Amino acid sequence: MNRVKSRQTRREQMIWNSSEYSHPGHRRKNNEDAVYSNARSGVWCVADGMGGHQNGGLASQWLVDAIASTPAYATIDECVNELQKRIFALNQTLYDKGGALSENSHTKRQTVGCTFVIFISDGVRNACLWAGDSRLYLLRNDNLYQITDDHSLVNDLVSRGIISESETHNHPQAHVVTRALGASETLSFEKKIFKAQQGDRYLLCSDGLYNELEPSDISAALAMSESSQSCRALVDKVLKTEATDNLTACVINAALASGY
């Protein structure tokens, strides 16, 4: 999916402008990333099939399909509860599929999994659900915030003071995640709830995007007036590098609707 899509819709007192762009990068033939964007329902997702594992693209696409079939709900809490149920159910399905593939091929257990970040907003309250190292960024009042914390081995090492932040990029286990959909029979993911504000700019992305960018690159792109411009600026910047991984960006702009 190498194209930009843009949508606008009124949700409560906000009007959303969102765009998404996904690219396989320069080294890989297949794109195991998947993205879902629905400004009307206020739900967005980026999923990253686990590199090196069979059917990672299948896992990310199944997650997007499960989110896309979620019915509209009156409150953000109801929507989050339903998404959590679907995530847990899909985790079991993917875990079982990995076991079946292993039995059929007589090999060690295979993983059919993905990392993910989901963003939900009703224009007043926001929710973020995630597992792994897919990220949500927020640009607010010219300040860039990383809303998610990576569930990764190197992030655990940094938090324990064993390595520094600067050592994470070249660490031999930099791509090892500690949580992912389908990776184990029991899934643990995180949730954050926070308030929305007029002028907020959000970025959901896979590690193939942010690993090639500086925070200043992300801030500059999100400061652009249109979400489609932001997406193209982010992806084009990465494609000027070696771009060894799949990369996906989903940008959401929140503005106060006229008449409020």
Side-chain angles (χ1 to χ4, degrees):
M1 182 185 66
N2 300 327
R3 63 184 186 278
V4 172
K5 299 177 181 177
S6 299
R7 303 172 183 82
Q8 290 185 343
T9 187
R10 177 175 288 191
R11 179 71 173 175
E12 295 293 335
Q13 74 268 33
M14 294 290 186
I15 185 167
W16 298 109
N17 176 289
S18 63
S19 303
E20 67 274 6
Y21 197 104
S22 189
H23 193 285
H26 297 320
R27 296 282 185 87
R28 300 186 178 184
K29 294 181 179 179
N30 298 325
N31 191 350
E32 294 184 349
D33 287 0
V35 58
Y36 175 73
S37 179
N38 191 329
R40 182 173 297 278
S41 62
V43 180
W44 298 265
C45 172
V46 165
D48 182 356
M50 295 174 67
H53 293 297
Q54 184 175 356
N55 291 326
L58 180 64
S60 57
Q61 188 58 53
W62 280 8
L63 175 59
V64 163
D65 291 344
I67 295 171
S69 63
T70 303
Y73 282 88
T75 69
I76 191 170
D77 296 309
E78 291 177 352
C79 182
V80 168
N81 289 338
E82 178 61 26
L83 287 173
Q84 289 181 143
K85 292 177 184 177
R86 289 172 178 247
I87 290 168
F88 283 127
L90 180 57
N91 183 76
Q92 187 65 56
T93 299
L94 293 174
Y95 184 78
D96 291 345
K97 185 171 181 59
L101 288 172
S102 303
E103 292 179 2
N104 293 337
S105 59
H106 303 288
T107 61
K108 65 178 182 179
R109 168 170 280 278
Q110 298 185 30
T111 299
V112 184
C114 66
T115 68
F116 67 86
V117 57
I118 304 171
F119 177 63
I120 310 106
S121 183
D122 63 4
V124 178
R125 298 169 67 221
N126 300 328
C128 179
L129 312 175
W130 79 96
D133 57 1
S134 294
R135 291 181 180 177
L136 173 67
Y137 289 93
L138 164 64
L139 184 70
R140 175 177 288 175
N141 298 326
D142 297 324
N143 295 312
L144 184 68
Y145 304 93
Q146 183 181 323
I147 301 300
T148 55
D149 297 312
D150 295 345
H151 301 137
S152 65
L153 178 61
V154 293
N155 195 48
D156 288 347
L157 294 175
V158 170
S159 64
R160 290 158 57 192
I162 297 175
I163 64 173
S164 66
E165 184 69 35
S166 62
E167 293 177 287
T168 61
H169 302 292
N170 297 319
H171 196 279
Q173 295 177 300
H175 297 292
V176 177
V177 296
T178 55
R179 302 188 198 182
L181 184 69
S184 61
E185 191 167 15
T186 302
L187 172 66
S188 176
F189 61 87
E190 282 195 69
K191 176 176 70 173
K192 282 186 180 179
I193 305 292
F194 57 105
K195 292 182 179 180
Q197 287 187 16
Q198 178 186 359
D200 281 351
R201 309 291 176 89
Y202 305 95
L203 168 65
L204 290 78
C205 59
S206 58
D207 65 333
L209 186 92
Y210 66 74
N211 277 337
E212 304 296 340
L213 299 173
E214 297 294 333
S216 58
D217 298 323
I218 297 175
S219 296
L222 293 182
M224 295 178 177
S225 59
E226 295 295 331
S227 59
S228 58
Q229 292 177 312
S230 299
C231 268
R232 290 306 298 259
L234 290 164
V235 173
D236 287 349
K237 182 83 173 180
V238 175
L239 292 179
K240 291 178 181 177
T241 71
E242 293 185 358
T244 59
D245 199 358
N246 304 152
L247 52 135
T248 300
C250 179
V251 176
I252 308 145
N253 295 348
L256 194 65
S258 60
Y260 286 92

